Amino acid sequence: MLSDVTTPQDLDDRFRETLAALAAGPQRRDPALPVTDDTTLTGARALDLFDAQATSRQLDLAARWLRSFDEGFYTIGSAGHEGNAAIAAALRVTDPALLHYRSGAFYCVRAAQAAGAAPADRPDAGAAQPGAADRLAAPTDRQATPGGSALTDREAAPGSAAATDRQAAPGGSAAPSPDALDPDAPDPDGSAAGPDAARPLGPGHADAARDVLRGMVASSREPVAGGRHKVFGRADLAIVPTTSTIASHLPRAVGMGLAVERLRRLDTAGRRDGTAGGGGAATPAPWPPDAVVICSFGDASVNHATATAAFNTAGWYDHAGLRVPVLFVCEDNGLGISVRSPKGWVETTLRAKPGIRYFAADGDDLLRAYEVASEAAAWVRRHRRPAVLHLSTVRLMGHAGADAETAYRSTGEIAADLDRDPLVGTARLLVAAGVATGDELMARYDEIGWHVRRIAEEVLDEPKLTTPAEVVAPLAPRRPARVTRAVADAAARAGGPGAAARAAAFGGRPPELTGPLTLAQSINAALADGLLDHPQMAVFGEDVGAKGGVYGVTKGLRDRFGAARVFDTLLDETSILGVGLGAGLAGLLPVPEIQYLAYLHNAEDQLRGEAATMQFFSQGAFRNPMVVRVAGLAYQEGFGGHFHNDNSVAVLRDVPGLVIAVPARPDDAAPMLRTCLASAAVDGSVCVFLEPIALYHSRDLYAPGDGEWLAPYAEPGAWAGGHAPIGRARVYGVGSAEDVTIITFGNGVPMSLRAAATLADEGIGTRVVDLRWLSPLPVADIMREAAATGRVLVVDETRRSGGVGEGVIAALVDAGYVGAARRVAGVDSFVPLGPAARQVLVTEEAITQGAHTLLAR
């Protein structure tokens, strides 16, 4: 009898009752043969998929059991979505996958593929697990074990007083004693365990179960996130971890597809860099040239802006003639937690996506789901174009453990979903085909359950992350010595074997011979040097190609390096960053441009939730190196308003591990950009290179025509000596430099230098500290220069609330600074149009006044 809420007990009992009632097929079928006359899916392969589905189901039951005594921390399960096993079976183990959080069966199949249960390059070959048919012929005599209905008990945690007196399983059989969990102990019926019985599940399934269970209990031995989150991911399975619940991984999938195809075409052409010359070696592609990208998500996610952006971008590129081999899989259970997807809405939405081929299948019908998935995967692989597979599923046991479904669903609806249980559907297929009997499948189900419970009890005692250092270790590795060496190596190549190619790329006049440069010109030259040295580097964004950027910063780069490496994108920041994320995973070095800082905010989760978390949630197994160029900050004359004068950087400084560089001077811009490129290549860093728009074309500092804000471009032999390490400031001394320390960045640097000149005329000596790096802050330099004068004025062109100045003051306090300190910061306001902007932005007069106030104390 169903309870008002589908519990693990309900689900398990219903499955057992259904299997017991299944009538045997007309005759036994050889498992090596197709299960029906109109399919390529063999009985042995179908049994493998049943095992994967059953393993996923038992993992869901184990999650609820672990949570019942507060040892499990994740109960969003895959029950009802096990049809995605067919998707995995239709793909290759080398096809990179970004998975929905209900992908337990997919994960188990992929692990079995990697373990050799089926040839990874022939997913339709029908190869069986070794011994699969034998296990059918000789099922164990185990009764309903903890992996079966006993998983639904509420039991005490191992080691507690109650743990030694566990309750009987709902079916009446006792849970095994602790001795029974010993692989060398006898079976519960007293007989010795045979070779198959002693093996934990089938090939790969045990590893998959252990991976997932370790994630559930936050074990530090979990192979991808290491106890930081429960994710589906493993590098050797080509499964990229994603914590997304709302499709934020879809733009990355499009970027991966574009990158896979670009690398395939370059490999076919016999070169990887798209140029006639170059120095550094290209990073090898992590996936085969004919790989397809698989990306799954839930039906509610089709409504999210990131999904819309991803579909639009894939279709846009397809329409433009570029190939994007991505298979999107929408697993449609009709619900987004409690909100229903209107009937027909998902199909209508997916069918309407231009440039994306539509396929559909029922997830409770393993056979047809496999056939359709095979057709869809083959189509994408052959045509190198995007497609979507709309997989109808059900959701069993609610959204998660705490979800009371009766608040928004009737018992009739819940019962109807149980009738479509995909695990039952696969069992019916196998029994009707004569491949197995209901009793044999029940024995497999219980055998799997027993092993899953056994593994669950084992991982309970595994270590957890216990220190802050352990938690943050993979977040953003910093190896400054290697970065320094990478810059020196780039210099050696540019001045040595790459000198001829460099001279050709610059038309015979390298930038060090063209005289003093502006900030924009210096960045342009450094980008060119980067493209020469990094064969895998690509520069892209709105208007960066033919136009050369709205401020001319990328002018001429496309002509020199070709449209494959410097190209325009569609107008969508989410997709621009998504392309960068996917390209980084594929082994490229992406340098996307966000045209204005204000335009970043609608896409910032691609940095926060996707880019910055990749190494953190994969312990460095995956990374997405990237240098995001952003034109921003205020003081742009003649072109105002908050969209083009945005001083909001707090959202960037809040992202753990993100590197934020703000070059103010031309002779800092090139070294800092080289550092960011090297850090991305060496450490997989995600860097934001925030370029002050108002300083792009500045030439003068103190008076018109003085040329004090121009600077020569360093020749390669000077790059190592002029290296700008991450987190190191630049200090200017004005006058005696003994009275006050001004700490600033960006536009604040020339304003502070002019204010310091005014103070020097009054006999006041000033140290001006250009932070250069807003994250990580150069704390050691800040403290040294603050202690030198004992008076600190923080000049922060961002806002008083949430601005950079707050971080500087906090760093001073945390480090024990005891001198005087004061702030001059922008007003908490958007930047208005025209002269009104001066009312809310920092001025030179305010800096001078702030210094006087500080000195008067």
Side-chain angles (χ1 to χ4, degrees), residues 734-736 754-766:
V734 182
S736 66
R754 286 191 287 268
T758 299
L759 293 171
D761 290 340
E762 302 172 13
I764 300 170
T766 306

Side-chain angles (χ1 to χ4, degrees), residues 237-252:
L237 302 183
I239 297 178
V240 179
T242 172
T243 62
S244 171
T245 61
I246 52 167
S248 63
H249 58 299
L250 269 66
R252 182 199 293 274

